C-alpha cells in the first residue's frame, strides 16, 4: 500500500477503490479529523439532551476544534461508527470543507456534499459526572470519559514550555486554558491526588468491571533539581493515589492497575518509582520522528532534553515497564508542517523510518492526527494538513511495521483516541 | 424473517449452548463458545469479554472485510441443533443492548462485558442429527429413484 504518489484532493469516496483493504470507517475517521465537522441545527438540538456528555474535550486538554469554540451550546467530544470506530468532533470553518453531522429524528448520521455517509452514535454521559470530589469539585472536571470504559485524568493543565515561549508549535494547551477561563467554562488547572483518588474509587465501587482503562497525561514541567523532577514527583503522587484506590476497593488484591501514563521521559530512578505505583503502561511522545524537524517544532523538548536523549530515555523505559508497555506518540502530519518537510514523500519516509526505529527496540508507536487549533503557532502560520491519502499510507505503513515486529499497544484503549493507526491495531 | 419465535426461544433458553465460528486473517476457522442471544427475528447479539481475543479480532475483520460468521446453537436435552449464518453489522459498548448483556452476564462471569457484536442472520439450517439424516436419505433416495426408476417401487 505504498509507492504511488499522494493524491491531493481525493476524498474517501475516491480512495475507497484504490485502497480496498483499508477499512472504510477508519478512512472516514481520518478525513473527519482532518477536515472537521459542522453540526446542523437538528443535530445540535438532539445532543443538547443531558443524557449526552456535553462537557467537551476542550475543557480538559487541547481545544481540538479548528476554529475558536465560542458557542454556548454543548458539543460532544466524539461519535462512533457502527463498528466501534471512534471519530472526533472538531468544529472547522467552511473553507476546510467540513463534514456535516445531521439528525433525522433519533437517527444521527455523517454526511458530505454528496449525501449520507454513515450512521453514527454519541456516547451517553458517564454516571460519575453527577458526583463531587472530596474538595467539592464536579468529578467530570478531574476525570473525563470519552467512552464507557476509559477515564482520562489531566492533573496538570499548564505546560511550562509556554512560560519561555518554547512550546511545541502545534500545541494550544495554554491558550485553550485561557480561552476556557475567559468563556467562564469550568476547568481544573491542577488536580490534587486526593481528587483523582476520589474519582477512581467512585468508579470502582459504583460500577465494578465497567472501567478498563485509565489514562493520565498533561502539560510538561521541566523544573526541578534535575530537569523534570517536579513533573515526575507530581505523577508519582497521582499514580500512587490511583493505586491506593484499587488496593482499598479490592482489599489489596489489585496493586497494579490498567493505566497508561503519558508524560515527559524521566531518568531511570523516576521510572522505577512510577512502575512501583502499579501503573502498567508508560508513554513518552517523541512528537516528530526527524531530528531537525523535531528541533524546529518542539523547541522546549529540544532545549531541555534533545532528540537523541528523548529517544534514549523512551527506549530505556522498556527495561522498567516491559516490551509493549512503553510507547511513543507523534503528531501525524506534523512532519510536513511549515517548518517540516516540503516534500510529502520525504515526510512519509522519515516518519515510517522513525516508527521502525522504535519498533526495532520494542517500542510501539501511536499518533494523534494533527489538528490545527487557533491557539497554536502553526495556526498563525496558516498551516494546512496533508491530504487524506498521506494519512492512509502513513497509518497502513505503521500497522505493517507493528505486525512485522509483533508489537501491540498493551492496555491501550482504541475507543478514546482520535488517532487512526490505533484502529488498525485492533487487528493485531 | 429468519428466526421464528420457537428458534429465538431455543437460542435464549438458559441451557442452550452456542458456538461461534469466525475466520482469521489466513482464512483458518476459529470456534469458541459464546452466550449469544436472539434480539429479534434477524439479529443475534454476541458478547465480547476481551476485545483483543482471537474471535474479537475476527469479528472486526468480518465487519471490515465483509466476511460471514456462523453460530451453532445446541439444545442439549433434545439434541436439537441449529446453524445460523450472517454478517456482523455492529459493535456496541453502550445503550440498551449492551446494558442488558452486561447486567445478565456480569453476575455469572464476574468479568464484565467489553461490548456486544450484532450479527444480521440471513441463513438458518436445522443441524439436528435426525433432521440431517432424514434430509440426506430423502436427497439420496430421490437421486437413486431418478437414476434407477425400475427399482423405485422396491424402495418406496
Amino acid at each position: 500500500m505504498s509507492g504511488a504518489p499522494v493524491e491531493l484532493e481525493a476524498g474517501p469516496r475516491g480512495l475507497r477503490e484504490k485502497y480496498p483493504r483499508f477499512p472504510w470507517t477508519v478512512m472516514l475517521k481520518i478525513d473527519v479529523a482532518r477536515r472537521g465537522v459542522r453540526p446542523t441545527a437538528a443535530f445540535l438540538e438532539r445532543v443538547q439532551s443531558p443524557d449526552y456528555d456535553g462537557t467537551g474535550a476542550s475543557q480538559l486538554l487541547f481545544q481540538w476544534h479548528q476554529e475558536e469554540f465560542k458557542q454556548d451550546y454543548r458539543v460532544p467530544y466524539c461519535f462512533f461508527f457502527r463498528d466501534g470506530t471512534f471519530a472526533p468532533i472538531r468544529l472547522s470553518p467552511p473553507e476546510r470543507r467540513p463534514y456535516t453531522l445531521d439528525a433525522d429524528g433519533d437517527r444521527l448520521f455523517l454526511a458530505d456534499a454528496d449525501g449520507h455517509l454513515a450512521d453514527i452514535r454519541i456516547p451517553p454521559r458517564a454516571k460519575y459526572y453527577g458526583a463531587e470530589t472530596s474538595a467539592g469539585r464536579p468529578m467530570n472536571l478531574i476525570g473525563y470519559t470519552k467512552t464507557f470504559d476509559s477515564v482520562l485524568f489531566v492533573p496538570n493543565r499548564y505546560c511550562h514550555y509556554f512560560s519561555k515561549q518554547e512550546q511545541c508549535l502545534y500545541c494550544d494547551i495554554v491558550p485553550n486554558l485561557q480561552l476556557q477561563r475567559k468563556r467562564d467554562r469550568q476547568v481544573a488547572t491542577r488536580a490534587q491526588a486526593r481528587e483523582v483518588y476520589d474519582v477512581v474509587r467512585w468508579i470502582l465501587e459504583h460500577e465494578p468491571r465497567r472501567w478498563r482503562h485509565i489514562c493520565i497525561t498533561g502539560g510538561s514541567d521541566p523544573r526541578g533539581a534535575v530537569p523534570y523532577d517536579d513533573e515526575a514527583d507530581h505523577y508519582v503522587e497521582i499514580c500512587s493515589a490511583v493505586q491506593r484506590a484499587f488496593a482499598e476497593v479490592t482489599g489489596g488484591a489489585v496493586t497494579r492497575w490498567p493505566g497508561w501514563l503519558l508524560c515527559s521521559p524521566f531518568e531511570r530512578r523516576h521510572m522505577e518509582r512510577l512502575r512501583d505505583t502499579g501503573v502498567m503502561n508508560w508513554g513518552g511522545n517523541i512528537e516528530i520522528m526527524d531530528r531537525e524537524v523535531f528541533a524546529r517544532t518542539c523547541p522546549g523538548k529540544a532545549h531541555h532534553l534533545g532528540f537523541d536523549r528523548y529517544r534514549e530515555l523512551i527506549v530505556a523505559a522498556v527495561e522498567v515497564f516491559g516490551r509493549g508497555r512503553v510507547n511513543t506518540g507523534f503528531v501525524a502530519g506534523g512532519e510536513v508542517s511549515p517548518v517540516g518537510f516540503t516534500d510529502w514523500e520525504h515526510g512519509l519516509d522519515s516518519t515510517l523510518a522513525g516508527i521502525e526505529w522504535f519498533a526495532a527496540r520494542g517500542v510501539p508507536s501511536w499518533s494523534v492526527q494533527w489538528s490545527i487549533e487557533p491557539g497554536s503557532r502553526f495556526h498563525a502560520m496558516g498551516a494546512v494538513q496533508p491530504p487524506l491519502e498521506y494519512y492512509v499510507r502513513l497509518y497502513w505503513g505503521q500497522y505493517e511495521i507493528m505486525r512485522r515486529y509483533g508489537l501491540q499497544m498493551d492496555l491501550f484503549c482504541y475507543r478514546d483516541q482520535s488517532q487512526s493507526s490505533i484502529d488498525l491495531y485492533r487487528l493485531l | 424473517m429468519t428466526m421464528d419465535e420457537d428458534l429465538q426461544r431455543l437460542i435464549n433458553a438458559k441451557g442452550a449452548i452456542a458456538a461461534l465460528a469466525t475466520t482469521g486473517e489466513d482464512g483458518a476457522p476459529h470456534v469458541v463458545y459464546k452466550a449469544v442471544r436472539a434480539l429479534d427475528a434477524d439479529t443475534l447479539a454476541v458478547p465480547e469479554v476481551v476485545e483483543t481475543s482471537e474471535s474479537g479480532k475476527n469479528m472486526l475483520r468480518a465487519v471490515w472485510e465483509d466476511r460471514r460468521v456462523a453460530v451453532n446453537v445446541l439444545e442439549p436435552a433434545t439434541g436439537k441443533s441449529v446453524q445460523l449464518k450472517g454478517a456482523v453489522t455492529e459493535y456496541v459498548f453502550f445503550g440498551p443492548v449492551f446494558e442488558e448483556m452486561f447486567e445478565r452476564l456480569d453476575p455469572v462471569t464476574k468479568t464484565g462485558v467489553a461490548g456486544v457484536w450484532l450479527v444480521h442472520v440471513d441463513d438458518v439450517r436445522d443441524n439436528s442429527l435426525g433432521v440431517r439424516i432424514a434430509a440426506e436419505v430423502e436427497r439420496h433416495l430421490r437421486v437413486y429413484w431418478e437414476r434407477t426408476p425400475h427399482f423405485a417401487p422396491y424402495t418406496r
Side-chain angles (χ1 to χ4, degrees):
Chain A
M1 212 181 266
S2 63
V6 168
E7 284 190 37
L8 292 184
E9 293 301 330
R13 294 182 200 269
L15 289 179
R16 199 172 186 179
E17 276 185 33
K18 188 172 178 182
Y19 297 100
R21 290 180 64 199
F22 202 92
W24 170 239
T25 46
V26 180
M27 198 182 283
L28 282 179
K29 166 187 179 169
I30 298 170
D31 218 33
V32 163
R34 201 176 70 89
R35 285 163 50 183
V37 296
R38 303 294 288 181
T40 63
F43 179 89
L44 281 177
E45 190 180 340
R46 187 79 186 81
V47 299
Q48 299 314 296
S49 157
D51 295 341
Y52 294 120
D53 171 16
T55 308
S58 52
Q59 280 170 260
L60 259 177
L61 198 57
F62 312 110
Q63 179 163 203
W64 291 117
H65 302 304
Q66 302 186 114
E67 64 178 8
E68 202 156 282
F69 179 53
K70 293 179 175 173
Q71 292 82 348
D72 288 325
Y73 51 72
R74 291 145 46 99
V75 176
Y77 176 63
C78 66
F79 64 82
F80 288 93
F81 292 109
R82 290 170 69 97
D83 60 356
T85 298
F86 165 106
I89 295 182
R90 298 176 176 175
L91 302 179
S92 281
E95 59 269 23
R96 297 189 65 86
R97 297 185 299 122
Y99 287 88
T100 301
L101 293 177
D102 208 347
D104 181 8
D106 284 345
R107 184 170 150 255
L108 305 176
F109 61 95
L110 177 77
D112 65 3
D114 293 323
H116 176 277
L117 280 163
D119 283 356
I120 61 172
R121 291 176 285 140
I122 304 285
R125 204 174 84 120
K127 288 182 183 163
Y128 73 83
Y129 272 33
E132 287 187 349
T133 68
S134 51
R137 287 201 279 195
M139 283 192 181
N140 58 300
L141 295 186
I142 306 301
Y144 185 76
T145 179
K146 304 166 195 167
T147 66
F148 232 90
D149 77 345
S150 176
V151 59
L152 166 70
F153 293 101
V154 186
N156 183 16
R157 281 286 306 265
Y158 188 81
C159 175
H160 289 263
Y161 295 142
F162 278 82
S163 307
K164 294 186 176 174
Q165 304 291 305
E166 288 183 329
Q167 71 266 33
C168 301
L169 305 192
Y170 49 78
C171 183
D172 78 330
I173 187 169
V174 172
N176 182 47
L177 180 61
Q178 291 160 345
L179 175 71
Q180 300 303 323
R181 283 179 176 157
K182 203 165 122 190
R183 296 291 301 167
D184 213 17
R185 295 192 184 111
Q186 286 185 300
V187 287
T189 307
R190 196 169 171 89
Q192 302 304 314
R194 172 72 206 193
E195 293 180 287
V196 172
Y197 165 88
D198 292 337
V199 175
V200 176
R201 178 141 193 161
W202 196 100
I203 62 176
L204 293 177
E205 279 183 340
H206 292 81
E207 297 184 294
R209 295 185 288 280
R210 278 181 183 268
W211 298 88
R212 295 174 178 229
H213 303 89
I214 292 174
C215 177
I216 301 173
T217 190
S220 298
D221 184 356
R223 296 174 304 172
V226 172
Y228 301 98
D229 272 1
D230 289 5
E231 184 179 331
D233 289 345
H234 189 212
Y235 281 122
V236 167
E237 196 187 346
I238 296 289
C239 291
S240 298
V242 177
Q243 184 183 42
R244 186 160 64 88
F246 268 91
E248 286 179 5
V249 172
T250 63
V254 177
T255 53
R256 301 192 72 208
W257 42 279
W260 179 42
L261 172 63
L262 185 59
C263 59
S264 301
F266 306 126
E267 302 293 330
R268 186 175 178 117
R269 64 190 172 90
H270 287 317
M271 289 302 194
E272 289 173 347
R273 290 169 68 209
L274 286 167
R275 178 201 56 202
D276 294 344
T277 66
V279 62
M280 292 171 75
N281 189 312
W282 177 87
N285 291 355
I286 189 69
E287 313 290 12
I288 301 287
M289 293 291 185
D290 177 83
R291 185 179 283 100
E292 280 73 36
V293 181
F294 169 89
R296 291 195 290 271
T297 310
C298 308
K301 293 186 177 197
H303 172 210
H304 291 281
L305 280 173
F307 185 77
D308 293 327
R309 183 66 179 146
Y310 219 94
R311 293 206 304 185
E312 198 179 296
L313 288 173
I314 292 168
V315 171
V318 177
E319 283 183 22
V320 179
F321 284 90
R323 181 183 159 88
R325 297 202 171 169
V326 169
N327 49 77
T328 189
F330 61 96
V331 180
E335 62 277 1
V336 290
S337 73
V339 300
F341 293 96
T342 51
D343 183 309
W344 284 326
E345 294 296 334
H346 290 159
L348 264 178
D349 290 347
S350 160
T351 302
L352 289 171
I355 289 166
E356 182 144 18
W357 187 92
F358 278 107
R361 289 157 180 80
V363 178
S365 59
W366 58 278
S367 57
V368 167
Q369 198 169 307
W370 183 20
S371 180
I372 302 172
E373 295 133 358
S376 69
R377 288 195 170 159
F378 279 155
H379 187 272
M381 293 177 189
V384 291
Q385 288 150 324
L388 170 61
E389 188 172 4
Y390 181 93
Y391 287 111
V392 169
R393 285 176 53 192
L394 174 61
Y395 295 144
W396 191 265
Q398 188 177 4
Y399 165 68
E400 291 285 1
I401 291 169
M402 292 303 119
R403 264 168 53 109
R404 201 157 61 243
Y405 285 89
L407 281 169
Q408 171 60 292
M409 296 267 295
D410 287 353
L411 303 165
F412 195 77
C413 183
Y414 69 90
R415 291 184 193 175
D416 66 358
Q417 299 300 326
S418 53
Q419 46 178 290
S420 305
S421 50
I422 287 299
D423 294 298
L424 301 179
Y425 290 4
R426 290 171 75 186
L427 292 178
L428 292 174
Chain B
M1 185 170 80
T2 51
M3 296 183 286
D4 62 24
E5 287 185 4
D6 285 346
L7 178 53
Q8 291 178 48
R9 261 196 297 278
L10 182 147
I11 295 166
N12 295 339
K14 200 173 179 184
I17 297 171
L20 167 73
T22 57
T23 50
E25 186 178 16
D26 59 358
H30 179 78
V31 180
V32 287
Y33 292 107
K34 290 276 187 182
V36 304
R37 197 156 183 81
L39 298 182
D40 54 43
D42 302 303
T43 315
L44 277 183
V46 181
E48 189 61 72
V49 173
V50 183
E51 288 178 335
T52 48
S53 68
E54 207 57 39
S55 60
K57 287 187 276 191
N58 289 350
M59 291 295 267
L60 180 64
R61 195 171 275 117
V63 181
W64 284 354
E65 298 176 8
D66 277 336
R67 295 184 183 201
R68 290 164 63 71
V69 300
V71 172
N72 195 296
V73 183
L74 174 71
E75 186 179 57
T78 62
K80 187 171 177 62
S81 161
V82 180
Q83 178 183 259
L84 311 145
K85 288 182 183 172
V88 187
T89 57
E90 197 161 349
Y91 183 58
V92 294
F93 35 78
F94 53 79
V97 171
F98 172 76
E99 289 299 329
E100 193 274 335
M101 193 65 98
F102 191 100
E103 294 302 331
R104 196 166 60 84
L105 292 183
D106 184 56
V108 182
T109 62
K110 303 287 185 196
T111 57
V113 172
V116 180
W117 298 99
L118 301 186
V119 177
H120 180 82
V121 175
D122 57 23
D123 184 72
V124 176
R125 171 185 159 114
D126 192 331
N127 263 359
S128 306
L129 185 59
V131 172
R132 293 314 335 146
I133 288 175
E136 291 304 299
V137 167
E138 171 68 14
R139 189 163 68 93
H140 287 295
L141 285 180
R142 188 182 299 128
V143 171
Y144 185 71
W145 294 332
E146 285 167 3
R147 288 181 185 169
T148 57
H150 52 289
F151 283 126
Y154 303 100
T155 56
R156 286 177 194 279

